[in-house]
């Protein structure tokens, strides 16, 4: 192999590595947590305080902007029996991290 071909091969491999690393970083920034994993995390937290009757999560991500923060979120809910009354909670979870951003009790 000639010296020129070796140089071109080295440059090509270098560019390939840079593009691969950049694509990996971009993908991690754009990758979201599976909605089922988010729901399981929330259910696990509620189960620490007692049984739950039902749970749901919306698989479609919704955009959320609060002041300068822009993200995508999952909406979901938990139903449980408290003091012989069925109580519903809804939650908002960040789709990129799975972190619960808000949870609130629905009034009957």
């Amino acid at each position: 192999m000639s010296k020129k071909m070796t140089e071109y091969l080295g440059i090509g491999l270098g560019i390939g590595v840079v593009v691969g690393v950049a694509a990996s970083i971009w993908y991690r920034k754009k990758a979201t947590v599976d909605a089922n994993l988010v729901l399981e995390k929330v259910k696990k937290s509620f189960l620490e305080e007692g049984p739950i009757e039902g749970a749901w999560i919306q698989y479609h991500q919704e955009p959320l902007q609060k002041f300068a923060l822009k993200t995508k979120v999952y909406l979901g809910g938990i139903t449980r029996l408290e003091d012989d009354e069925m109580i519903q909670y809804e939650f908002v979870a960040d789709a990129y991290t799975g972190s619960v951003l808000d949870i609130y009790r629905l009034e009957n």
Side-chain angles (χ1 to χ4, degrees), residues 31-64:
T32 57
V33 177
D34 182 75
N36 286 319
L37 294 176
V38 174
L39 182 59
E40 289 304 314
K41 178 180 164 184
V42 174
K43 284 170 54 176
K44 184 178 178 183
S45 295
F46 268 84
L47 285 169
E48 289 177 6
E49 294 184 359
I52 60 175
E53 298 295 319
W56 63 272
I57 193 160
Q58 182 177 316
Y59 290 94
H60 175 75
Q61 300 161 5
E62 298 286 335
L64 173 73

Side-chain angles (χ1 to χ4, degrees), residues 1-106:
M1 200 181 304
S2 72
K3 186 175 179 182
K4 274 275 195 220
M5 296 239 348
T6 304
E7 287 176 11
Y8 289 138
L9 181 61
I11 291 170
L13 287 174
I15 291 171
V17 168
V18 169
V19 169
V21 169
S24 175
I25 291 169
W26 177 83
Y27 176 76
R28 277 193 231 135
K29 283 186 171 184
K30 297 295 180 187
T32 57
V33 177
D34 182 75
N36 286 319
L37 294 176
V38 174
L39 182 59
E40 289 304 314
K41 178 180 164 184
V42 174
K43 284 170 54 176
K44 184 178 178 183
S45 295
F46 268 84
L47 285 169
E48 289 177 6
E49 294 184 359
I52 60 175
E53 298 295 319
W56 63 272
I57 193 160
Q58 182 177 316
Y59 290 94
H60 175 75
Q61 300 161 5
E62 298 286 335
L64 173 73
Q65 180 172 354
K66 194 163 190 174
F67 306 109
L69 173 71
K70 293 180 184 177
T71 191
K72 290 186 179 179
V73 297
Y74 293 118
L75 306 176
I78 300 284
T79 305
R80 69 183 313 147
L81 194 61
E82 294 179 2
D83 298 324
D84 295 324
E85 186 179 345
M86 207 56 88
I87 304 296
Q88 293 181 329
Y89 294 89
E90 286 188 346
F91 64 87
V92 179
D94 186 284
Y96 297 107
T97 64
S99 299
V100 174
L101 302 176
D102 195 10
I103 190 162
Y104 46 90
R105 181 179 168 162
L106 297 179

